[in-house]
Amino acid sequence: MDNIGLIGMVSIIMAGLTIAVGSIAPAIGEGHAVTQALKSIAQQPDEANTISRTLFVGLAMIESTAIYCFVISMILLFANPFWTMVVG
Amino acid sequence: MDNIGLIGMVSIIMAGLTIAVGSIAPAIGEGHAVTQALKSIAQQPDEANTISRTLFVGLAMIESTAIYCFVISMILLFANPFWTMVVG
Amino acid sequence: MDNIGLIGMVSIIMAGLTIAVGSIAPAIGEGHAVTQALKSIAQQPDEANTISRTLFVGLAMIESTAIYCFVISMILLFANPFWTMVVG
Amino acid sequence: MDNIGLIGMVSIIMAGLTIAVGSIAPAIGEGHAVTQALKSIAQQPDEANTISRTLFVGLAMIESTAIYCFVISMILLFANPFWTMVVG
Amino acid sequence: MDNIGLIGMVSIIMAGLTIAVGSIAPAIGEGHAVTQALKSIAQQPDEANTISRTLFVGLAMIESTAIYCFVISMILLFANPFWTMVVG
Amino acid sequence: MDNIGLIGMVSIIMAGLTIAVGSIAPAIGEGHAVTQALKSIAQQPDEANTISRTLFVGLAMIESTAIYCFVISMILLFANPFWTMVVG
Amino acid sequence: MDNIGLIGMVSIIMAGLTIAVGSIAPAIGEGHAVTQALKSIAQQPDEANTISRTLFVGLAMIESTAIYCFVISMILLFANPFWTMVVG
Amino acid sequence: MDNIGLIGMVSIIMAGLTIAVGSIAPAIGEGHAVTQALKSIAQQPDEANTISRTLFVGLAMIESTAIYCFVISMILLFANPFWTMVVG
Amino acid sequence: MDNIGLIGMVSIIMAGLTIAVGSIAPAIGEGHAVTQALKSIAQQPDEANTISRTLFVGLAMIESTAIYCFVISMILLFANPFWTMVVG
Amino acid sequence: MDNIGLIGMVSIIMAGLTIAVGSIAPAIGEGHAVTQALKSIAQQPDEANTISRTLFVGLAMIESTAIYCFVISMILLFANPFWTMVVG
Amino acid sequence: MDNIGLIGMVSIIMAGLTIAVGSIAPAIGEGHAVTQALKSIAQQPDEANTISRTLFVGLAMIESTAIYCFVISMILLFANPFWTMVVG
Amino acid sequence: MDNIGLIGMVSIIMAGLTIAVGSIAPAIGEGHAVTQALKSIAQQPDEANTISRTLFVGLAMIESTAIYCFVISMILLFANPFWTMVVG
Amino acid sequence: MDNIGLIGMVSIIMAGLTIAVGSIAPAIGEGHAVTQALKSIAQQPDEANTISRTLFVGLAMIESTAIYCFVISMILLFANPFWTMVVG
Amino acid sequence: MDNIGLIGMVSIIMAGLTIAVGSIAPAIGEGHAVTQALKSIAQQPDEANTISRTLFVGLAMIESTAIYCFVISMILLFANPFWTMVVG
C-alpha cells in the first residue's frame, strides 16, 4: 500500500462519508420545518403566504449545511490537492 | 492487496454505504411530513390544495439530500477518477 | 486473499448491508404515514378518498429511497464493474 | 483461508444479517400500524371496512421492504454469482 | 483453521444471531398490538369480535418477519449449501 | 486451536447469547401487555374475562419468539450437526 | 491456550453473561407490571383480588424468560457436554 | 498465560461483571415500583396496607433476578468447577 | 506478563468497574423514589409519616443491589481466592 | 507509509469529518428554530416582523458554529501548516 | 512492560474511571431530587420544613453511592494491596 | 512513523475533532434558547425587549463554550508547543 | 515504551478523561435544578428566598461530585504516587 | 515512538478531548436554564429582575464545570509536568 493507494482510499471513503453523514441532519431538520408549516397552514390558512415565505428562507438556511458537505465531497473527488501532489 | 484491489474495495464499500446511510434521514423526514399532511387534511379539508402543494415542495427539498448521496454513489461506481487512474 | 476474493467479499457484504440498512427508515416512515392515515380516516371518514390519494403519493415517495438502495444492491450483485475488471 | 472459504463465510454472514436487520423496522412499523387500526376501530366502529382495507394496503407496502431483504438473502444462499465463480 | 472449521463456525454464529436479533422487533411490535387491543376492548366491549379478528390478522403479519428469520436460521443449520460443499 | 475447540467455543457462545438476547424483547413486550391488562381491568371490571382471554392469547404469541430462541439454543447444545461432524 | 482452557473460558464467560443480560428485561418488565398493579389498586380498591391474580400470572409468565436464561447458565456450568468431551 | 491464569482471569471478570450488569435492571425496576407505591399512597391513604403488601411481593419478585446474578457470581468465585479442574 | 500481573490487573479493573457500574442504577432509582416522595408529601402533607416509612423501606431495598456490588468489589481487593492461589 | 502519506491521509479524513459532524447540530438547531417561528407566526400573525428578525439573528448565531467547522476544514485542505512542513 | 508498570497503569486507569463513571448517576439523581424539592416548595410553602428534611435524607442516601466509588478510588491510589505486593 | 509525523497527525486529528465535537452542544443549546425566545415573544409581545436582551446574554454565555474549543483548536494548528519542540 | 512513558501516558489520559466525563452529569443536573428554580420563582414570587436557599444547598451537593473528580484529576497530575515511584 | 513522542501525543489528544467533551454538558445545561428563564419572564414580567439574578448565578455555577475542563486542558498544553520530565 503506497501513497497513491492510501490517499485515493481515504479520499473515496471521506467523499462518501461526508455527504452521507452530512445529509442526515438537514433532512431531519427540513422534515420538522415542513411538518410545522403544514400544521400552521391548517391552523391559519389566511397566513399561508407569510408561512411559505418564512419556510423557504429557513429551508435554504438549513440546506446550506448540506451544501457545505457536498462542496467538500466534490473537492475531495475532483480537486484534491493531496492527490495532485502524490500522483504527479 | 495491491492498489487495484484496494481502490475497488473501498469504492464498493462507500457506494453502498453512502446510499444506505444517506437514505435514512430523508425517509424519516418525508414520513413526518406526509404524516402531518394527512393530519392537516383531516383537520382542514378545505385547504387540501394548499397543503398538497406545500407538501410536494417540501418533499422535493428533502428528497434532494437523498439524491446528493445517490449521485456520489453512482460517481463512485461508474465515473470514479481514482479507479481510472490505478487501472489505466 | 487475492483481488478476486477481496472484491467478491466486499460486494457480498455491501449488497446485503445496503438493502438491510436502507430498508430501516422507509419501513418506519411508511409505518408512521399509514398510522396517521388510519387515524385521520377515523376522524374524517368523509375525506377518505383525499387521504388515501395523498397517502399513496407519500408512500411512493418514501418507497423511492428504499428502491435506490435495492438498485445499488442489485448492481453490486449482477452488474458490478469492479468484479468484471478483476475476473476478466 | 482461501477464496472458497472466504466467499462462503461472508455469504453466510450476510444472508443471516440481512434478514435479521431487515426485519426489525417492518415488524415495528407494522406493529404501529396495527396498533392504530385497533384504536381507530374502537373509535369509529362504522368505518371498520375502510380502515381494514387501508391497513392491509399499508401492511403490504411495509412488508415489501422485508421481502426485498428476504430476496437478497435467498440470492446469497442459493443463486450467488460470486460463489459459482470461485467454486467452479 | 481450515474451511470446515470456518464455515461451521460462521454457520453456528449466524444461526443463533439471526433468530436472536430477528425476534426482537416482532416481540415488541406484537406487544404493542396486544396492548392496544386490550385498551380498545376496555373502551368498546361491543366491538370485541372485530378487534380480536383484526388483532390476529395483524399478529400473523408481524409474526411472518420472525418466521423469515427462523427459516433462514434452520436452513443454515440443516440445509446449508456451503457446508455441503466444503464437507463433501 | 483446532476445529473441535473452535466449533465448541462458538456453540457455547451462541447458545448463551441467543437465549440472552432473545429473551429481552419478549419480556418487555409481555410486560407492556400485562401492564395494559391491569389498567383495562381497573377501568372495565365487567370485561375482566374477555381481557384475560385476549391477554393469554397475546402472551402465548409473544412467548413464541422466546421459544424459537430457546429451541435454537438447545439444538446448539445437544443436537449440533457441526459438532457431530468434527468430533466423530 | 489449549482446548481445555478455551472451552472453560467461554463457558465461564457465557454463564455469567447469559444470566446478567437475561435478567435485564424481566426485571424491567416486572417493574412495569408491579407499577401498574399498584396504580390500578389505588384506582379500583374493590378489584384488588382480580388485579393481584392477573398480576401474579403475568409475573410468572415474564419470570419464565429469566428462568430460561438461568437454566442455560446452569447447564453451561454443571452439565456442559463440550467440557465433558474435551476433559475426557 | 497458562490455563490457571486464563481461567482465573475470566472468573474474576465475570464475577464482577455479572453482578454489576445484573443489578442495573432490578434497581431501576424497584425504583419504579417504589415510586408508584408512594404515589398511590398519596392518592388513596386508606389502601396503604394493600398497596404495601403488593409492593413487597413485587419487590421480592424483582429482587429474585438480582439474586440469580449474585448466586452465579458467588459460584464463580468460591465453587468454580473449572478452577478446581485446572488447579488440580 | 506472568500470572501475578495478570490476576492482579483484572482484580483491580473489576473492583473499580463493579462498583462504578453497579452504583449507576441504584442512584437513579433512589433519585426517582426520593423525587416521588417529595411530590407526594406536597400533595398529602397529612400522610408524611406513612410516605417516609415506605420510602425508607424502598431505599433500603434498592440500596441492597449497590451493596451486593460493593461486597464483590471488596472481596476482589482483600479476600481474592485467585490472588491467594497465584501469590502463594 | 511515510510522513507525506500519513499527514495527507489524516488531513483528508479530518477535513471531511469536521464538516460532516459539525453540520449535524446546526442543522437540527436551525430546524427547531424555524419550526417554532412558523408556529409563532400562526399564533401571532401581527408579530411576524419581530419574530422574523429574532429568527434571523438566532439562525446567524447558530450558523456560526457550522462556519467554525467549515473554516477549520478549509484550513486543513488548503492552508495546512503540517503539510507545508513535510512536503517541503 | 513488567508487573510494576502494569499494576501501576491499571490502578491509575481505574482510580480515574471509577470516580468519573460513579459520579454520573448520583449527580443526575440528586438533580432530580433537588428539582422536585423546588417544585414542591413552590406548591406547598407551608411544608417547606418537612420537604427539606426529606430532601436532605434522600440526598445523603444517594450521595452514599458516590462515596462508595470515591472510597474504592482512594484505596486504589493510596492503599493498593496489589501495588504493595509487586513493588515490595 | 517518526515523532514529526506522529505529533503532526494527532494535532490535525484533534484540531478537527475538538471543534467538530465542541460545536454540537452549543448549536443545540442555542437552538433551544432561540426556539423559546420566539415562543415567548408570541405569547408576550410587550416584553420583546426584555426577552431579546436576556436571549443575547444567554447566547453569548453558551457560545463561550464553543469558543473555548475553537481557541484550543487554533492553538493546536498554529501555536503548538509540542510541534515546535519536535520540529526543532 | 518503558515504565516512565507508560505511567506518564495513562496519568495524562486519566487526568483529562476523569474531569471531562465527571463534569457531564453535574452540569446537566445543575441545569435541571436551576431550570426548576426559575420556574418556581415565576409561580411563587413570594417564596423566592426559600427557593434560592434550597437551590444553593442542592447545587453545592451536586457540585461535590464534580469536585471529587477534580481532586482525583489533580492528584494524578501533581501528587501521583505511581509516578514518584517509577521516576525515582 | 519514544517517550517524547508518546507523551506529546497523548497530551495533545487529551487537551482537545477534555475541552471538547467537557463543553457538551455545560452548553446543554445552560441552554435549558436560559430557555426556562425566557419562559418565566414571559409568564411573570414583573419578576424579571429576580429571574435574571438567579439565572446568572446558576449560569456561573454551571460554567464552572466547563472551566475545570479548560484549566486541565491548558495545564496539559503549557504546564505539563510529565512533558517537562521527559524533555529534559
Side-chain angles (χ1 to χ4, degrees), chain N residues 49-60:
Chain N
N49 283 335
T50 314
I51 290 168
S52 297
R53 210 175 45 229
T54 309
L55 174 68
F56 295 151
V57 171
L59 287 183

mmCIF file with all atom_site columns, all heavy atoms in Angstrom, chain N residues 49-60:
data_model
loop_
_atom_site.group_PDB
_atom_site.id
_atom_site.type_symbol
_atom_site.label_atom_id
_atom_site.label_alt_id
_atom_site.label_comp_id
_atom_site.label_asym_id
_atom_site.label_entity_id
_atom_site.label_seq_id
_atom_site.pdbx_PDB_ins_code
_atom_site.Cartn_x
_atom_site.Cartn_y
_atom_site.Cartn_z
_atom_site.occupancy
_atom_site.B_iso_or_equiv
_atom_site.pdbx_formal_charge
_atom_site.auth_seq_id
_atom_site.auth_comp_id
_atom_site.auth_asym_id
_atom_site.auth_atom_id
_atom_site.pdbx_PDB_model_num
ATOM 1  N N   . ASN N 1 49 ? -36.315 40.855 37.257 1.00 0.00 ? 49 ASN N N   1
ATOM 2  C CA  . ASN N 1 49 ? -35.043 41.086 37.948 1.00 0.00 ? 49 ASN N CA  1
ATOM 3  C C   . ASN N 1 49 ? -34.615 39.878 38.757 1.00 0.00 ? 49 ASN N C   1
ATOM 4  O O   . ASN N 1 49 ? -33.468 39.420 38.673 1.00 0.00 ? 49 ASN N O   1
ATOM 5  C CB  . ASN N 1 49 ? -35.179 42.310 38.865 1.00 0.00 ? 49 ASN N CB  1
ATOM 6  C CG  . ASN N 1 49 ? -35.110 43.576 38.060 1.00 0.00 ? 49 ASN N CG  1
ATOM 7  O OD1 . ASN N 1 49 ? -34.537 43.588 36.982 1.00 0.00 ? 49 ASN N OD1 1
ATOM 8  N ND2 . ASN N 1 49 ? -35.710 44.643 38.578 1.00 0.00 ? 49 ASN N ND2 1
ATOM 9  N N   . THR N 1 50 ? -35.534 39.340 39.570 1.00 0.00 ? 50 THR N N   1
ATOM 10 C CA  . THR N 1 50 ? -35.196 38.180 40.375 1.00 0.00 ? 50 THR N CA  1
ATOM 11 C C   . THR N 1 50 ? -34.793 37.013 39.489 1.00 0.00 ? 50 THR N C   1
ATOM 12 O O   . THR N 1 50 ? -33.825 36.280 39.777 1.00 0.00 ? 50 THR N O   1
ATOM 13 C CB  . THR N 1 50 ? -36.413 37.768 41.233 1.00 0.00 ? 50 THR N CB  1
ATOM 14 O OG1 . THR N 1 50 ? -36.950 38.934 41.838 1.00 0.00 ? 50 THR N OG1 1
ATOM 15 C CG2 . THR N 1 50 ? -36.006 36.769 42.287 1.00 0.00 ? 50 THR N CG2 1
ATOM 16 N N   . ILE N 1 51 ? -35.531 36.843 38.392 1.00 0.00 ? 51 ILE N N   1
ATOM 17 C CA  . ILE N 1 51 ? -35.230 35.732 37.490 1.00 0.00 ? 51 ILE N CA  1
ATOM 18 C C   . ILE N 1 51 ? -33.860 35.900 36.867 1.00 0.00 ? 51 ILE N C   1
ATOM 19 O O   . ILE N 1 51 ? -33.066 34.948 36.806 1.00 0.00 ? 51 ILE N O   1
ATOM 20 C CB  . ILE N 1 51 ? -36.338 35.650 36.410 1.00 0.00 ? 51 ILE N CB  1
ATOM 21 C CG1 . ILE N 1 51 ? -37.630 35.162 37.059 1.00 0.00 ? 51 ILE N CG1 1
ATOM 22 C CG2 . ILE N 1 51 ? -35.924 34.745 35.285 1.00 0.00 ? 51 ILE N CG2 1
ATOM 23 C CD1 . ILE N 1 51 ? -38.855 35.302 36.193 1.00 0.00 ? 51 ILE N CD1 1
ATOM 24 N N   . SER N 1 52 ? -33.541 37.108 36.406 1.00 0.00 ? 52 SER N N   1
ATOM 25 C CA  . SER N 1 52 ? -32.230 37.336 35.796 1.00 0.00 ? 52 SER N CA  1
ATOM 26 C C   . SER N 1 52 ? -31.108 37.052 36.794 1.00 0.00 ? 52 SER N C   1
ATOM 27 O O   . SER N 1 52 ? -30.112 36.399 36.458 1.00 0.00 ? 52 SER N O   1
ATOM 28 C CB  . SER N 1 52 ? -32.128 38.791 35.319 1.00 0.00 ? 52 SER N CB  1
ATOM 29 O OG  . SER N 1 52 ? -33.076 39.042 34.321 1.00 0.00 ? 52 SER N OG  1
ATOM 30 N N   . ARG N 1 53 ? -31.294 37.520 38.044 1.00 0.00 ? 53 ARG N N   1
ATOM 31 C CA  . ARG N 1 53 ? -30.229 37.336 39.027 1.00 0.00 ? 53 ARG N CA  1
ATOM 32 C C   . ARG N 1 53 ? -30.008 35.861 39.300 1.00 0.00 ? 53 ARG N C   1
ATOM 33 O O   . ARG N 1 53 ? -28.870 35.379 39.305 1.00 0.00 ? 53 ARG N O   1
ATOM 34 C CB  . ARG N 1 53 ? -30.600 38.085 40.310 1.00 0.00 ? 53 ARG N CB  1
ATOM 35 C CG  . ARG N 1 53 ? -29.392 38.572 41.062 1.00 0.00 ? 53 ARG N CG  1
ATOM 36 C CD  . ARG N 1 53 ? -29.789 39.401 42.249 1.00 0.00 ? 53 ARG N CD  1
ATOM 37 N NE  . ARG N 1 53 ? -30.869 38.759 42.968 1.00 0.00 ? 53 ARG N NE  1
ATOM 38 C CZ  . ARG N 1 53 ? -31.985 39.383 43.340 1.00 0.00 ? 53 ARG N CZ  1
ATOM 39 N NH1 . ARG N 1 53 ? -32.152 40.654 43.074 1.00 0.00 ? 53 ARG N NH1 1
ATOM 40 N NH2 . ARG N 1 53 ? -32.909 38.727 43.986 1.00 0.00 ? 53 ARG N NH2 1
ATOM 41 N N   . THR N 1 54 ? -31.101 35.136 39.522 1.00 0.00 ? 54 THR N N   1
ATOM 42 C CA  . THR N 1 54 ? -30.960 33.706 39.755 1.00 0.00 ? 54 THR N CA  1
ATOM 43 C C   . THR N 1 54 ? -30.347 33.009 38.546 1.00 0.00 ? 54 THR N C   1
ATOM 44 O O   . THR N 1 54 ? -29.510 32.113 38.676 1.00 0.00 ? 54 THR N O   1
ATOM 45 C CB  . THR N 1 54 ? -32.338 33.091 40.066 1.00 0.00 ? 54 THR N CB  1
ATOM 46 O OG1 . THR N 1 54 ? -32.949 33.859 41.096 1.00 0.00 ? 54 THR N OG1 1
ATOM 47 C CG2 . THR N 1 54 ? -32.204 31.649 40.503 1.00 0.00 ? 54 THR N CG2 1
ATOM 48 N N   . LEU N 1 55 ? -30.756 33.437 37.351 1.00 0.00 ? 55 LEU N N   1
ATOM 49 C CA  . LEU N 1 55 ? -30.202 32.842 36.128 1.00 0.00 ? 55 LEU N CA  1
ATOM 50 C C   . LEU N 1 55 ? -28.693 33.025 36.063 1.00 0.00 ? 55 LEU N C   1
ATOM 51 O O   . LEU N 1 55 ? -27.951 32.079 35.786 1.00 0.00 ? 55 LEU N O   1
ATOM 52 C CB  . LEU N 1 55 ? -30.848 33.496 34.896 1.00 0.00 ? 55 LEU N CB  1
ATOM 53 C CG  . LEU N 1 55 ? -30.251 33.077 33.559 1.00 0.00 ? 55 LEU N CG  1
ATOM 54 C CD1 . LEU N 1 55 ? -30.552 31.628 33.262 1.00 0.00 ? 55 LEU N CD1 1
ATOM 55 C CD2 . LEU N 1 55 ? -30.765 33.946 32.428 1.00 0.00 ? 55 LEU N CD2 1
ATOM 56 N N   . PHE N 1 56 ? -28.212 34.234 36.353 1.00 0.00 ? 56 PHE N N   1
ATOM 57 C CA  . PHE N 1 56 ? -26.777 34.473 36.205 1.00 0.00 ? 56 PHE N CA  1
ATOM 58 C C   . PHE N 1 56 ? -25.984 33.693 37.246 1.00 0.00 ? 56 PHE N C   1
ATOM 59 O O   . PHE N 1 56 ? -24.912 33.165 36.947 1.00 0.00 ? 56 PHE N O   1
ATOM 60 C CB  . PHE N 1 56 ? -26.473 35.970 36.289 1.00 0.00 ? 56 PHE N CB  1
ATOM 61 C CG  . PHE N 1 56 ? -27.079 36.732 35.149 1.00 0.00 ? 56 PHE N CG  1
ATOM 62 C CD1 . PHE N 1 56 ? -27.451 38.055 35.274 1.00 0.00 ? 56 PHE N CD1 1
ATOM 63 C CD2 . PHE N 1 56 ? -27.293 36.097 33.928 1.00 0.00 ? 56 PHE N CD2 1
ATOM 64 C CE1 . PHE N 1 56 ? -28.026 38.738 34.204 1.00 0.00 ? 56 PHE N CE1 1
ATOM 65 C CE2 . PHE N 1 56 ? -27.869 36.783 32.862 1.00 0.00 ? 56 PHE N CE2 1
ATOM 66 C CZ  . PHE N 1 56 ? -28.225 38.102 33.004 1.00 0.00 ? 56 PHE N CZ  1
ATOM 67 N N   . VAL N 1 57 ? -26.501 33.597 38.475 1.00 0.00 ? 57 VAL N N   1
ATOM 68 C CA  . VAL N 1 57 ? -25.808 32.782 39.474 1.00 0.00 ? 57 VAL N CA  1
ATOM 69 C C   . VAL N 1 57 ? -25.752 31.329 39.005 1.00 0.00 ? 57 VAL N C   1
ATOM 70 O O   . VAL N 1 57 ? -24.719 30.665 39.065 1.00 0.00 ? 57 VAL N O   1
ATOM 71 C CB  . VAL N 1 57 ? -26.528 32.884 40.843 1.00 0.00 ? 57 VAL N CB  1
ATOM 72 C CG1 . VAL N 1 57 ? -25.950 31.887 41.819 1.00 0.00 ? 57 VAL N CG1 1
ATOM 73 C CG2 . VAL N 1 57 ? -26.398 34.293 41.389 1.00 0.00 ? 57 VAL N CG2 1
ATOM 74 N N   . GLY N 1 58 ? -26.883 30.837 38.502 1.00 0.00 ? 58 GLY N N   1
ATOM 75 C CA  . GLY N 1 58 ? -26.914 29.459 38.033 1.00 0.00 ? 58 GLY N CA  1
ATOM 76 C C   . GLY N 1 58 ? -25.970 29.228 36.872 1.00 0.00 ? 58 GLY N C   1
ATOM 77 O O   . GLY N 1 58 ? -25.245 28.225 36.828 1.00 0.00 ? 58 GLY N O   1
ATOM 78 N N   . LEU N 1 59 ? -25.957 30.170 35.905 1.00 0.00 ? 59 LEU N N   1
ATOM 79 C CA  . LEU N 1 59 ? -25.066 30.006 34.753 1.00 0.00 ? 59 LEU N CA  1
ATOM 80 C C   . LEU N 1 59 ? -23.607 29.970 35.196 1.00 0.00 ? 59 LEU N C   1
ATOM 81 O O   . LEU N 1 59 ? -22.810 29.177 34.680 1.00 0.00 ? 59 LEU N O   1
ATOM 82 C CB  . LEU N 1 59 ? -25.279 31.152 33.758 1.00 0.00 ? 59 LEU N CB  1
ATOM 83 C CG  . LEU N 1 59 ? -26.566 31.103 32.946 1.00 0.00 ? 59 LEU N CG  1
ATOM 84 C CD1 . LEU N 1 59 ? -26.607 32.260 31.960 1.00 0.00 ? 59 LEU N CD1 1
ATOM 85 C CD2 . LEU N 1 59 ? -26.704 29.797 32.195 1.00 0.00 ? 59 LEU N CD2 1
ATOM 86 N N   . ALA N 1 60 ? -23.257 30.814 36.156 1.00 0.00 ? 60 ALA N N   1
ATOM 87 C CA  . ALA N 1 60 ? -21.885 30.828 36.640 1.00 0.00 ? 60 ALA N CA  1
ATOM 88 C C   . ALA N 1 60 ? -21.530 29.478 37.263 1.00 0.00 ? 60 ALA N C   1
ATOM 89 O O   . ALA N 1 60 ? -20.441 28.939 37.059 1.00 0.00 ? 60 ALA N O   1
ATOM 90 C CB  . ALA N 1 60 ? -21.710 31.950 37.672 1.00 0.00 ? 60 ALA N CB  1
#
